[in-house]
Amino acid sequence: MLRPLNKIVSLWNKLLGSEDSFSMENRLYNLVCIIALIILFLLFGNGILLHLWQSALITLIVFILQIVFYYYARFKKRFDKSILLNAAVSYVALILNFFVNSGSYGPTLFVFFLTFHLLITITPNKMHIVWVALHITSISALFLIERLHPNFIKNNYANLNDRMFDILYTYIVSLVFTYLIVRHLRNYLNRQKQQTETAVMKLKAVF
């Protein structure tokens, strides 16, 4: 019988896909999908707790779509198209959430920042300039709209405590999962470095 830790490792590898059958990029995207599902679940719970119904509904819809994206990436191995659809859905959802969850007065900017980290992690370097431009343009446009048409923004907070809790909660979730992504990447790079050094040492021993 496998020990509990081995069972967890085995389950984790099944969720990400084996290294023999999946590319590093595909496995990393699968990881991002799983983390996104956890984030969305936590944000959905927070929205329900604070009675932010519209924000919770948006989160629930994105959660369901995220399951579809993960399914196509993990089981159909079509992660390239899944990434683009995922990014498009993320932008639409964040823009809508900005309007229904207090604009710059709410926590949407933190999720924008988290989404940026996820996108640059799972896409080629040539795409990074696209995400930078889209994020800057989106935020600038949203701020301009809020400044010119403040009535477009819906403030759903019942009191200051709810707002502070929502912002703090979203910040902590974003911080923790950004750390997990970076930590996973560093561990992967370290494993690759160790494998390369071991291969070099074996070659030196032979020659």
Side-chain angles (χ1 to χ4, degrees):
M1 180 181 292
L2 291 173
R3 295 179 179 178
L5 181 59
N6 289 337
K7 288 183 178 181
I8 293 174
V9 172
S10 177
L11 175 61
W12 188 243
N13 286 329
K14 287 181 180 179
L15 290 173
L16 297 186
S18 66
E19 293 186 2
D20 296 332
S21 303
F22 291 81
S23 65
M24 186 273 287
E25 291 82 4
N26 200 156
R27 280 170 53 85
L28 183 59
Y29 178 67
N30 294 343
L31 171 66
V32 168
C33 286
I34 293 169
I35 289 178
L37 285 170
I38 298 172
I39 293 171
L40 290 166
F41 178 78
L42 293 174
L43 294 179
F44 174 74
N46 184 56
I48 294 297
L49 178 66
L50 297 178
H51 300 163
L52 303 173
W53 306 118
Q54 292 176 316
S55 182
L57 177 60
I58 292 171
T59 304
L60 178 61
I61 293 172
V62 177
F63 179 86
I64 294 171
L65 291 174
Q66 191 68 45
I67 293 175
V68 176
F69 297 145
Y70 171 71
Y71 171 80
Y72 272 93
R74 171 61 181 84
F75 298 101
K76 299 295 184 179
K77 297 183 180 180
R78 297 172 63 181
F79 77 101
D80 289 331
K81 292 181 180 179
S82 181
I83 288 174
L84 296 178
L85 289 172
N86 203 340
V89 169
S90 297
Y91 278 110
V92 172
L94 287 172
I95 290 171
L96 289 176
N97 193 69
F98 184 87
F99 287 108
V100 303
N101 195 14
S102 305
S104 61
Y105 195 66
T108 307
L109 290 182
F110 291 126
V111 188
F112 258 107
F113 193 64
L114 174 61
T115 303
F116 176 75
H117 274 281
L118 297 181
L119 286 173
I120 63 172
T121 299
I122 60 179
T123 56
N125 291 341
K126 62 182 180 181
M127 290 294 297
H128 293 178
I129 186 64
V130 176
W131 307 132
V132 170
L134 283 175
H135 268 67
I136 292 175
T137 303
S138 299
I139 293 298
S140 299
L142 289 172
F143 270 55
L144 181 61
I145 292 172
E146 182 178 11
R147 179 66 182 86
L148 297 177
H149 304 281
N151 56 305
F152 287 0
I153 306 300
K154 187 173 183 179
N155 184 4
N156 288 322
Y157 295 119
N159 52 60
L160 181 59
N161 289 337
D162 283 358
R163 174 181 177 264
M164 294 181 68
F165 178 84
D166 191 25
I167 291 177
L168 180 61
Y169 182 88
T170 306
Y171 172 77
I172 292 173
V173 169
S174 301
L175 184 69
V176 169
F177 284 101
T178 299
Y179 167 76
L180 291 176
I181 288 290
V182 174
R183 180 66 181 270
H184 178 82
L185 276 176
R186 290 192 61 179
N187 288 341
Y188 174 81
L189 292 174
N190 287 335
R191 287 199 305 272
Q192 291 295 102
K193 181 181 178 181
Q194 290 174 0
Q195 291 174 3
T196 301
E197 291 175 348
T198 301
V200 170
M201 290 179 64
K202 288 181 178 179
L203 286 173
K204 288 182 178 179
V206 171
F207 295 103

